[in-house]
Each structure stands twice: as structure tokens, then as C-alpha cells.
Amino acid sequence: MDRFLSRSPVASGREREGDENDFPMNKAWANLRDDFPVLHQQVNGHPLVYLDNAATSHKPRCVINALAQFYERDNANVHRGIHALSNRATAAYEAARERSARFLGAASAHEIIFTAGTTDSINLVACSWGGANLGRGDVILLTEMEHHSNMVPWQLLARRTGARLRYVPVLGDEGRLDLSQLDRVLTPEVKLFAFTHVSNTLGVINPITELCARARACGAVTVVDAAQSAGHLPIDVGALGCDFLALSGHKMCGPTGIGILYGRQALLDAMPPWRGGGSMISNVEYFESRWAPAPQKFEAGTPNIADAIALGRAMDYLDDLGRDAIARHDEKLATLAYARLKAEVPGIRLLGPAEHRSGVISFDLPGVHAHDVVTFADQEGVALRGGHHCNQPLMRKLGLASTSRASFYLYNTEDEIERLIAALRKIQRFFAG
Ligand code: 7TS
């Protein structure tokens, strides 16, 4: 826990109340579930227990209202009109960029590119930076726990450029990276090292500051996949020293269809555009064009204006709660769930570490397919995910076809762990009988 407390406070622009060691730590935590309209419903005759937050999170009313307000009051295209609504829309869109820069500790809003999400952000780096900088003999280093989104774009790039892929191994069910192998795999041919901050299957939190430092010492550019961490842990790209960082709004209380690529200014300035169209140019002739500076260079066409603005509101919401407090909440629930599942569900195989972990817990109930687990849990009102979680190579390495997964977030409670365990016990009794 101390590692969260030791980080520098998040620049939210708002004062937090209460003692750092209190939990919940400020007024915003009181009645927090009331902020999420979707949580208050029955599913199959039971109050909903939503434990599929690694797939997507729910949205607080302030984010939903931000969307409605934009369409009801300010709707216009950005960066082109000089009428009142267009000016308002442009100001709000660019304010969301500034907000995102503060949220991530970026040096300037010019380092924030709005994308459709993590997948889109990683493809941008692969196409633009990768296409311009990689060639035969170069190595792209990944880890064995990467989501397909942080694997397939690099495979496509390797095929195009002749670069090779290499992997940092994962150590067994506990899921930690085998850092003793880093010197062997992180060699001077490695031009880019892409790794996830938090695994969406293992719940393991990787030592990304160390990975960035090691990569930098070797001259490799770093890409951090923050899809599972940006709404859960404090992140400061300056302190971290990464070159690129990707996130999805929908996993951090924001809307779907919006995400961010943070990129270090010097790299963005040197990168070619990856998509052509309106808004990304400074001058167009019939046979050639010149580009606008970053970030516009990477945002061709009409952007996702309303969702970017609502994402900024989600960042306000998260920082009002305090990302360090959210991290402690996730870890507390996940550690408790891990211990109780192990003690109370006979034969369960749990993935990921027992503690110092994020809120994602994958497990295998021997003799019951993950899809059966999820279907039965749904009958009890408990929303889980079953499958390979876009981690097929990792699953194969662990000798599994699929797992069931419970993933916790800020609105989950200890009572919901009770409901999860009761559902799993019932499933076991059904399949035993
Ligand atoms: N990287 C990680 C670590 C992820 O967990 C995900 C989505 C992505 C990238 C892709 O994010 P997207 O928003 O672009 O789709 N993970 C999951 C999951 O675990 N269940 O559903 C989606």
C-alpha cells in the first residue's frame, strides 16, 4: 500500500479532504454508488453485482450529464466555426485535452492525442513511429502477458518492416514478469519495448518505472499500455519516463469510443501522420500537403468531441475520489476476494499474486467451463467475464483454454464478494450433483 502513498499527489486542481490513511478518505466516497444509475437494478431477480470492470466500467451521472449537456447546449464542430457554439465546443474540447495532460502529468497538452481507445493509440504508434523507425534486424520487445491489442499491431508492423518480436517471460500462475531475463532480451537491437502497466488477466502490477529506465538505458522507446491502470492508479508520465502511454476512456468511468495517446513531444514532432484528412494539415496542394503540428497531425477528421469532454469530466470525478484511494480500495477488495476464494471455494485455481495487485482476479473452477461459470453467475445477478480475455498466448502458456474473471472497481463492496462466493459455491454444487 505504501507504494501508492509514496507517489506525488495528483494535480486535480481540487483540495482533498481527510487523512491519507483514512478510507474512505473524503466526502466524495460517501454514497458513491448513488452516482452510478446503472448499478441500481435487478438482474434475474437479484440486485446486480457488476464484476466485469476490466471489460468496461460504469459511468457516473456527472459523465452522463456532460454528454447530454454538450448535445443539448454546445453541439458544433471544432476548430473551424467562428460562431458561438463552435467556439464553445472548441474551448471545451481543448480544455479536455488540458485536463488530460494534468491527469497524466504530461509537460503540455500538445502531448495528448485523442484516439478511439487503447487499441487505436497503440496502432497509431505502430503505424507512425514504427513505420518510420523500424527495419530488418530491429527487435520489438513485448511481454508474454500483453493483451492482443498490444501484440497484434506489433506483429503487423514486424511483417511490414522485417523487424522481429521478442518476449519477456511470465513466471507461472502468480504472473510476475521474470525480470532476471531482462538483460538477455533487452539488447541493443531492441528499438521499442511495449508492456502493460496492469495485466487484464493476472491482475499483476508491473514495475513500469524500472522497465522504462532499463529500456532508456538501452536506447529503446517505451510504450505503456495503461488500459487497466489509468483509472485505478496514480500515473505521472514525467516521473515514469515513458515515451508513449495509451489508455481507454471507457475503463475509467468515461465514455466508449474515446481514448488517449500520450507521446513525448520530441517524438511526436518527428513522426509522420498515420491517417490523412481534414484538420491534420497546414496546407494542401493537388499533389502534396504539409501537416499541422502535433497533436492535430494525428487527429484527422471530425474528432469525438462530446466523448472527449465527458472523459475530462470522468478525470475530475476520479481525482475527487483520489486515485491513490481508488488503488487502495481495489487492492483491499481484490486481496480479500483472493484469500476468501482460495479458502472457501474448494479446488479453485487462482491466477495472479495474492497481494500487491490490482482489482482483476482470474480463476479456473476445475470441471466447469468458464462460460458455464459466467452463465450461472449471471442467473444469480453476478456479472463476470469468461474466456481468454484477449490473452490467448498467455492462456496457452498456463495450460488453460479460458478463465472466469471478477474485476473490481471503486463502487464494488465487500458484500459483493460474499455474493460472488455464494454463486460459485452454488455452481460447484450443481456441477457436482
Ligand atoms: N490493453 C489491455 C491491458 C486491456 O485490458 C484492453 C481491453 C485493451 C488493451 C484494449 O482496450 P480497448 O478499449 O481498446 O478495447 N481489455 C478488455 C478486457 O479485459 N475485457 O474486455 C476488454
Side-chain angles (χ1 to χ4, degrees), residues 11-40:
S12 71
R14 293 160 194 246
E15 288 298 317
R16 286 215 314 269
E17 295 166 25
D19 187 297
E20 280 270 285
N21 297 315
D22 282 350
F23 175 78
M25 64 169 17
N26 65 22
K27 269 212 304 271
W29 281 90
N31 307 319
L32 172 145
R33 288 178 66 88
D34 292 346
D35 297 338
F36 293 83
V38 77
L39 294 177
H40 306 282

Side-chain angles (χ1 to χ4, degrees), residues 338-349:
Y338 188 102
R340 289 200 53 189
L341 287 166
K342 193 169 179 176
E344 297 172 40
V345 181
I348 195 169
R349 177 178 169 192

Side-chain angles (χ1 to χ4, degrees), residues 12-198:
S12 71
R14 293 160 194 246
E15 288 298 317
R16 286 215 314 269
E17 295 166 25
D19 187 297
E20 280 270 285
N21 297 315
D22 282 350
F23 175 78
M25 64 169 17
N26 65 22
K27 269 212 304 271
W29 281 90
N31 307 319
L32 172 145
R33 288 178 66 88
D34 292 346
D35 297 338
F36 293 83
V38 77
L39 294 177
H40 306 282
Q41 61 177 297
Q42 302 268 314
V43 169
N44 294 319
H46 303 275
L48 168 65
V49 173
Y50 185 81
L51 299 179
D52 195 17
N53 293 288
T56 200
S57 70
H58 288 308
K59 323 302 171 201
R61 198 179 291 282
C62 60
V63 168
I64 300 167
N65 288 348
L67 286 172
Q69 277 170 21
F70 175 77
Y71 287 120
E72 285 173 5
R73 220 178 43 193
D74 303 326
N75 180 47
N77 212 328
V78 291
H79 303 144
R80 52 199 85 200
I82 34 174
H83 58 79
L85 267 58
S86 179
N87 285 339
R88 281 209 303 262
T90 304
Y93 180 69
E94 291 306 324
R97 199 189 301 280
E98 299 274 352
R99 182 68 187 89
S100 303
R102 285 206 309 285
F103 188 80
L104 294 174
S108 123
H110 295 126
E111 297 183 322
I112 302 294
I113 300 163
F114 284 121
T115 66
T118 304
T119 304
D120 204 35
S121 298
I122 294 172
N123 276 284
L124 192 167
V125 181
C127 291
S128 173
W129 187 91
N133 290 285
L134 290 191
R136 195 162 297 281
D138 292 335
V139 172
I140 301 164
L141 183 61
L142 307 172
T143 85
E144 287 181 345
M145 70 173 77
E146 297 313 313
H147 187 279
H148 296 169
S149 295
N150 201 21
M151 203 175 269
V152 182
W154 307 118
Q155 292 176 351
L156 292 171
L157 177 66
R159 193 180 293 179
R160 272 201 311 277
T161 59
R164 284 174 297 133
L165 299 180
R166 199 183 272 170
Y167 288 89
V168 182
V170 166
L171 285 165
D173 281 10
E174 214 187 294
R176 301 214 183 269
L177 291 177
D178 186 355
L179 295 180
S180 71
Q181 298 295 312
L182 208 52
D183 281 337
R184 186 178 61 79
V185 290
L186 186 53
T187 55
E189 310 87 78
V190 175
K191 294 290 179 303
L192 180 136
F193 185 13
F195 45 83
T196 194
H197 189 178
V198 168

Side-chain angles (χ1 to χ4, degrees), residues 54-55 118-119 147 149 196 200 225 227-228 248 250-251 385 405:
T118 304
T119 304
H147 187 279
S149 295
T196 194
N200 67 312
D225 175 349
Q228 294 294 344
S248 294
H250 70 95
K251 293 188 200 288
R385 184 172 175 198
R405 184 183 70 182

